Amino acid sequence: MAGAASGRAGGYLVIDVWSDVMCPWCYMGTTLLAQALERFPHAQQTQIRHHSYQLMPDLAPGTAVGLTEYLVRQRGFQRQQIEAMNAQIAARGAAIGLEYHSERAIAANTRAAHQLIHFAAKAARQHEMVQRLFRAYFTEGLNVGDHTVLAGLAAETGLDPAAATQALATGVFDDDVQADIRRAQQLGISGVPFFIFGDKYALSGGQPVEAFLQALNTAWDEAPGTP
């Protein structure tokens, strides 16, 4: 995994996370990682860095259609299959304290949302922004491709909505989004969530808390400079 990120940055154990706002398992995965960090004795010496990944990059900007309808009409899924999958996701999410209403989800191009996440990183609010976007998409049924919606979410996360609107309008962070996607390709990442601990150990999918805790402990023990 060499080159994904420095294993220790400024004395911190780095955890690199690739995810997409539209990915239900990513919402669970980042939550389970947070729960593992609550049990990790060196949690205050860790740094989570979120990276962009798009599950549906082919969606045209401006698209805003119910996710269920999109999957039925454009991807050929059976409605009953989607409903069963949504019920399973909701049950698994509820078990770890998350509220899913996937039937409300609006399929949209998430490129702008990823730009907003990079914008938030400049103010050290990246993780909060990611979690707020997940809740907006899966719980509230908001259009995370809409710049006005995104600016409002930025304000709720303690960021300047006018600056967020300007960043989205100019696309100033789009190169950062593309760099994340390109790096994922170089690393062979073909699905999300994907986690790299200390530039060395990788986990994918919604792993149990114990798996995250083991990865944290192993990466910490083997990271250069660990006492």
Side-chain angles (χ1 to χ4, degrees), residues 25-40:
W25 311 112
C26 295
Y27 193 9
M28 290 187 205
T30 56
T31 300
L32 290 163
L33 171 61
Q35 292 177 359
L37 284 168
E38 291 175 359
R39 295 165 52 184
F40 183 55

Side-chain angles (χ1 to χ4, degrees), residues 185-215:
Q185 293 169 344
Q186 293 169 348
L187 291 169
I189 297 172
S190 58
V192 287
F194 195 90
F195 307 84
I196 299 177
F197 298 81
D199 197 17
K200 192 172 183 179
Y201 295 98
L203 285 179
S204 62
Q207 300 287 339
V209 169
E210 290 71 19
F212 283 112
L213 195 56
Q214 181 179 356

Side-chain angles (χ1 to χ4, degrees), residues 22 54 56-63 107-113 143-146:
M22 297 175 70
Q54 285 194 279
M56 296 184 185
D58 55 317
L59 281 173
T63 298
N109 190 299
T110 58
R111 189 89 177 193
N143 180 358
V144 296
D146 184 276

Side-chain angles (χ1 to χ4, degrees), residues 76-164:
F77 285 82
Q78 296 296 314
R79 192 175 299 276
Q80 288 183 331
Q81 178 185 4
I82 296 170
E83 291 173 352
M85 180 177 63
N86 288 345
Q88 180 189 41
I89 289 169
R92 291 187 62 174
I96 58 172
L98 301 179
E99 185 178 349
Y100 281 85
H101 294 289
S102 299
E103 73 281 358
R104 301 176 185 171
I106 297 174
N109 190 299
T110 58
R111 189 89 177 193
H114 285 295
Q115 292 177 31
L116 184 65
I117 291 168
H118 279 282
F119 169 79
K122 299 297 182 181
R125 304 290 292 176
Q126 190 186 43
H127 185 70
E128 293 87 347
M129 191 74 256
V130 169
Q131 294 303 105
R132 183 65 188 93
L133 284 163
F134 279 136
R135 183 157 54 89
Y137 183 80
F138 286 108
T139 305
E140 300 166 357
L142 297 180
N143 180 358
V144 296
D146 184 276
H147 288 195
T148 301
V149 171
L150 293 175
L153 297 176
E156 291 181 29
T157 313
L159 302 171
D160 181 349

Side-chain angles (χ1 to χ4, degrees), residues 4-49:
S6 56
R8 293 291 289 273
Y12 285 76
L13 174 66
V14 176
I15 307 163
D16 289 285
V17 183
W18 274 263
S19 66
D20 191 15
V21 175
M22 297 175 70
C23 167
W25 311 112
C26 295
Y27 193 9
M28 290 187 205
T30 56
T31 300
L32 290 163
L33 171 61
Q35 292 177 359
L37 284 168
E38 291 175 359
R39 295 165 52 184
F40 183 55
H42 309 290
Q44 296 302 313
Q45 294 168 272
T46 61
Q47 177 187 2
I48 299 175
R49 297 198 297 212

